[in-house]
């Protein structure tokens, strides 16, 4: 099994967490999203993944892209420990929480979007403000859905990690990087803090990856 990723890519971070939670061994293939204009645009990588995005995962000779699809593949192929609850309604809730992050929040502030804002003469502070705004919008909805809900436990759903946590923790990392005040989201902060104390999450953290710059390690 091989994971093509970048230490600070939140989508790659999600997959690393899931691989660690499932105790799966994998080989890293690092794709620097900035070096030489972005190694994801190299002819070699483009042949493997025409979208020129990370993560990409190889398992048994098969290449898979898109983090949520990879997470579902891991859940179906390596079901223990499970990252989705047993009941259909519960599974739908966890998937919805994961998709709020992966589909509604993160894409609005990813590298491609921020680069385009730069091309439109938006300076760094404007780009940071853009990121904070959209993360705050998404986090407000997540906080409202989790705070006080009977399904919420130490994790976003119950007392064991699920795909919701796998997606939430990298987004909290992103929020902190852009300077979002997390005080308005105490439930999200508590869940993220609990997760980040667990070994699988610690091992997946950007600063603990071999391709992290020395000043971040």
């Amino acid at each position: 099994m091989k994971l093509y990723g970048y230490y600070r890519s939140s989508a790659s971070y999600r997959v690393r967490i899931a691989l660690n939670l499932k105790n799966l061994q994998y080989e890293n293939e690092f794709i620097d999203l900035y070096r030489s204009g972005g190694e994801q645009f190299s002819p070699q990588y483009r042949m493997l993944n025409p979208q020129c995005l990370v993560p990409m995962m190889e398992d048994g000779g098969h290449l898979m892209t898109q983090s949520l699809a990879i997470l579902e593949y891991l859940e179906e192929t390596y079901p223990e420990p499970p990252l989705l609850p047993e009941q259909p309604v519960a599974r739908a809730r966890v998937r919805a929480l994961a998709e709020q992050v992966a589909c509604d929040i993160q894409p609005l502030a990813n590298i491609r979007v921020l680069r385009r804002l730069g091309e439109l003469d938006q300076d760094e502070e404007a780009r940071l403000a853009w990121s904070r705004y959209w993360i705050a919008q998404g986090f407000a909805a997540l906080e409202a859905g989790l705070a006080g809900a009977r399904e919420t436990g130490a994790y976003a759903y119950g007392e064991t990690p699920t795909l919701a946590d796998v997606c939430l923790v990298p987004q909290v990392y992103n929020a902190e990087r852009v300077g979002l005040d997390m005080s308005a989201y105490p439930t999200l902060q508590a869940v993220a803090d609990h997760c980040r104390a667990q070994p699988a999450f610690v091992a997946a953290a950007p600063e603990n990856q071999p391709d992290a710059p020395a000043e971040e390690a």
Side-chain angles (χ1 to χ4, degrees):
M1 188 179 293
K2 181 184 292 187
L3 178 65
Y4 295 75
Y6 179 62
Y7 80 102
R8 214 166 56 195
S9 156
S10 59
S12 301
Y13 191 176
R14 294 169 198 153
V15 176
R16 292 196 302 264
I17 295 169
L19 288 167
N20 292 345
L21 287 168
K22 290 181 176 292
N23 298 304
L24 295 172
Q25 301 299 310
Y26 64 95
E27 176 186 350
N28 280 303
E29 184 72 34
F30 301 119
I31 306 296
D32 193 306
L33 303 185
Y34 292 93
R35 183 185 298 131
S36 302
E39 293 177 346
Q40 70 273 29
F41 300 117
S42 70
Q44 297 90 340
Y45 190 73
R46 191 186 294 270
M47 286 182 62
L48 299 174
N49 183 358
Q51 274 196 298
C52 302
L53 298 173
V54 294
M56 179 172 69
M57 195 180 77
E58 181 180 353
D59 190 27
H62 302 286
L63 291 174
M64 285 155 275
T65 62
Q66 293 293 333
S67 63
L68 290 185
I70 294 170
L71 293 175
E72 291 278 359
Y73 168 83
L74 292 174
E75 184 68 3
E76 293 168 358
T77 310
Y78 306 97
E80 296 298 330
L83 298 179
L84 284 169
E86 290 186 7
Q87 297 302 316
V89 171
R91 293 165 78 90
R93 178 174 174 82
V94 167
R95 286 187 169 111
L97 293 170
E99 289 180 17
Q100 278 184 260
V101 173
C103 301
D104 295 339
I105 302 175
Q106 188 270 336
L108 287 165
N110 66 19
I111 290 174
R112 291 187 298 173
V113 170
L114 297 179
R115 278 180 172 160
R116 181 56 180 158
L117 289 173
E119 292 167 359
L120 296 174
D121 297 326
Q122 300 299 304
D123 62 18
E124 183 178 1
E125 184 49 46
R127 296 194 295 272
L128 288 172
W130 168 279
S131 296
R132 287 192 293 267
Y133 176 82
W134 288 113
I135 297 172
Q137 294 294 305
F139 275 11
L142 277 172
E143 179 70 23
L146 291 179
R150 60 181 177 81
E151 298 93 343
T152 305
Y155 294 92
Y157 188 95
E159 303 305 322
T160 57
T162 67
L163 295 185
D165 307 289
V166 166
C167 291
L168 175 63
V169 167
Q171 194 58 55
V172 170
Y173 168 82
N174 285 348
E176 293 169 345
R177 280 191 64 242
V178 300
L180 180 67
D181 180 3
M182 288 293 295
S183 63
Y185 322 107
T187 310
L188 302 187
Q189 186 73 75
V191 168
D193 288 346
H194 178 74
C195 289
R196 291 189 291 193
Q198 311 310 312
F201 288 84
V202 173
E207 63 271 17
N208 293 328
Q209 303 316 300
D211 60 328
E215 62 270 20
E216 296 190 37

